[in-house]
Amino acid sequence: MRYSTAFLPFVATATAIVIPDETTAKQLVLEAEQQAEKTVSSWRDHVFPSAENLLSAAENVLDTALEGLERQTSKLRDAVLSGIKVDVESEITDFLSPSDYIENDHHGHATNLTVYQTIKSSNYTAEFAKLVDDFPDVVDKLNSTSANVTVFVPLNHAFKKIPRHGKDHKPPKEFVEKVLKYHILPGFYPAGRVLAHHTLPTAFEEEELGGRPQRLRVSASLFGVKLNFYSKVVYANLITKNGAVHGVDSILVPPPPVGRLISLFPSKFSTLELAAEKSGFKHHSDDDSKLTGLTVFAPTNEAFKKLGPGANAFLFNTEKGLRYLKALLAYHVVANETLYSDAYYGKKEEEEASLSSFRIDEDEGEEAEAGVEGFRGPKHYHLDLPTLLGDKHIAVDITRLFGFIKIKVNGHVDVAIQDGLAKDGVIQVINSILIPPHHHKGFWNDEVDGEIPVEELVERLKPFVEKEKETEAEFGEL
């Protein structure tokens, strides 16, 4: 059985896609493997709800790190040749008993059973079914025919990866329910529609996203389809009475917070971590309990290097520079708005308008499968996002053509790695530092302007640094 979709063989498309260099990609893959090894050896840790113990969710960043290598590079090359067939190498032919199947000419195998009945009836999903049975509301969701649902169900062998520690080490029931809901998508997502997305909304409503759906990350390559990098789709497209069932080989665990994700990749973000530590920068105040999502444009170590030795020495090694460093970091964070490559969670009071103006069309999965005949041209989106640096905004432009998505910030900075899923938001990785525009000079483009002089950096950030000093002085007097 295979996931199949066609991509237009336009050579022009190649110029619109950002492909990370091979050395960077290989390094990220190596880090991915190392983190995965740690994960396998500590499954007991990540079945508890503590953010510190959710090490396995580091693989969500691995997925985005492999975006250029797995999704864009392989798809682009094959698209230019003829189109792409993404294999789901499955030897499963008896997911259900023969009497449970019905004829279906469109998507794959089909059954008149509901999603819940399918999971209960299959010998491959008995372990997951046992967990589901402990939660009546989950059973009702999977059994109801009033609305479609899609489940990425871990097959029985996925549970063998969890070491047995006896009855005293069972995870909290509340956490198990969250994990179960993280495998469920409200709505009908057959293979074509899955591949039309970079992220997918789940039934797990994350409090730190303002009660909006936590998402799954989709990667497709010639080697198959994976969710959050580590969970491979091994059985696809069983259409049920009320939705669809896909089988995966690993349990999906909700991701940890942004800060934890960044800390797992020191070879890419050690300078960013050092900058936050030395400047005392936080993406929220200690008494802020209303944070409902984040978008962090996370600069890599290479991005800081592009500033030049003079600017870095000033920012990191002088008392005055640390204030400017803090202001610079503030310009990379958007609070209470979460921007994925294919979805946008706006401020709660503006949620309906925001979501309706930026999301994949309901029929876009079908358009992807239709290929040239169904092609309606690339889609463009523009958003101005408020940062933590005073009244300064970040301009984001998103271009989508089937499975290809390009994100450009402030007109010249490409997002190199998209959609690092986090508990409290999303990370969009960039290889250049974002520097606020000057009212006369515009944006600083390191690809054109080169290393930034200290005087230029101070001139652009000085109004915000002085305003913060005045605020601190006022509170100090109080």
Side-chain angles (χ1 to χ4, degrees), residues 35-48:
Q35 292 294 344
E37 288 176 3
K38 294 179 182 178
T39 298
V40 172
S41 65
S42 60
W43 267 92
R44 182 178 65 85
D45 289 337
H46 73 233
V47 296
F48 289 93

Side-chain angles (χ1 to χ4, degrees), residues 142-454:
L142 301 182
N143 212 27
S144 173
T145 55
S146 62
N148 286 325
V149 292
T150 299
V151 176
F152 290 99
V153 55
L155 303 188
N156 292 336
H157 61 77
F159 291 83
K160 295 180 181 179
K161 299 178 181 180
I162 306 176
R164 302 296 179 183
H165 294 282
K167 296 181 178 180
D168 294 337
H169 292 275
K170 286 184 177 181
K173 192 170 183 178
E174 179 183 354
F175 179 67
V176 174
E177 184 175 14
K178 291 179 181 179
V179 171
L180 291 177
K181 290 182 177 180
Y182 193 51
H183 291 78
I184 301 170
L185 311 182
F188 181 56
Y189 287 86
R193 195 176 178 205
V194 169
L195 285 176
H197 291 69
H198 277 206
T199 67
L200 297 166
T202 71
F204 170 38
E205 297 177 347
E206 174 58 68
E207 182 179 351
E208 295 194 36
L209 292 176
R212 274 76 68 92
Q214 183 55 267
R215 304 182 78 85
L216 291 171
R217 182 66 167 80
V218 181
S219 285
S221 76
L222 295 179
F223 303 102
V225 178
K226 291 186 178 181
L227 303 177
N228 295 356
F229 179 70
Y230 59 92
S231 188
K232 185 176 182 179
V233 177
V234 292
Y235 180 79
N237 254 18
L238 176 55
I239 308 306
T240 72
K241 188 176 182 179
N242 63 337
V245 173
H246 308 288
V248 294
D249 68 355
S250 296
I251 297 171
L252 296 163
V253 180
V258 164
R260 177 61 173 155
L261 281 181
I262 289 175
S263 71
L264 291 169
F265 294 92
S267 69
K268 288 299 166 190
F269 300 115
S270 60
T271 309
L272 177 59
E273 281 199 284
L274 179 63
E277 180 183 348
K278 294 196 70 170
S279 67
F281 174 77
K282 296 180 181 179
H283 58 62
H284 64 286
S285 62
D286 292 332
D287 59 350
D288 186 358
S289 59
K290 298 181 180 180
L291 194 66
T292 56
L294 284 169
T295 303
V296 178
F297 293 91
T300 61
N301 296 340
E302 179 64 25
F304 280 96
K305 185 178 179 181
K306 289 180 182 179
L307 289 175
N312 276 299
F314 167 71
L315 290 171
F316 285 87
N317 298 329
T318 68
E319 185 175 347
K320 177 181 178 181
L322 290 177
R323 288 184 174 272
Y324 285 81
L325 179 59
K326 186 176 182 179
L328 193 61
L329 294 180
Y331 188 56
H332 290 74
V333 178
V334 178
N336 300 314
E337 300 185 41
T338 307
L339 178 63
Y340 304 93
S341 63
D342 56 2
Y344 171 50
Y345 295 163
K347 293 181 178 179
K348 288 292 288 184
E349 60 271 17
E350 305 168 3
E351 182 177 72
E352 289 302 318
S354 300
L355 291 176
S356 63
S357 64
F358 180 57
R359 62 184 177 191
I360 291 180
D361 293 340
E362 291 300 308
D363 61 345
E364 195 153 325
E366 285 74 12
E367 179 181 305
E369 288 187 324
V372 175
E373 294 78 7
F375 179 62
R376 297 199 298 265
K379 297 184 178 181
H380 305 277
Y381 306 90
H382 176 85
L383 297 95
D384 290 308
L385 302 177
T387 71
L388 296 184
L389 185 65
D391 60 353
K392 288 298 181 182
H393 285 62
I394 290 177
V396 181
D397 291 283
I398 300 175
T399 303
R400 178 181 176 85
L401 176 62
F402 292 126
F404 300 116
I405 295 179
K406 180 179 181 179
I407 305 177
K408 190 175 285 289
V409 185
N410 286 348
H412 67 278
V413 176
D414 292 309
V415 172
I417 301 172
Q418 298 173 10
D419 301 328
L421 303 182
K423 177 182 178 67
D424 49 356
V426 68
I427 297 171
Q428 306 292 359
V429 180
I430 52 179
N431 285 325
S432 294
I433 298 292
L434 301 177
I435 299 175
H438 190 280
H439 57 284
H440 293 307
K441 305 176 184 178
F443 290 104
W444 183 271
N445 186 343
D446 56 30
E447 297 297 332
V448 176
D449 303 316
E451 299 175 354
I452 188 168
V454 172

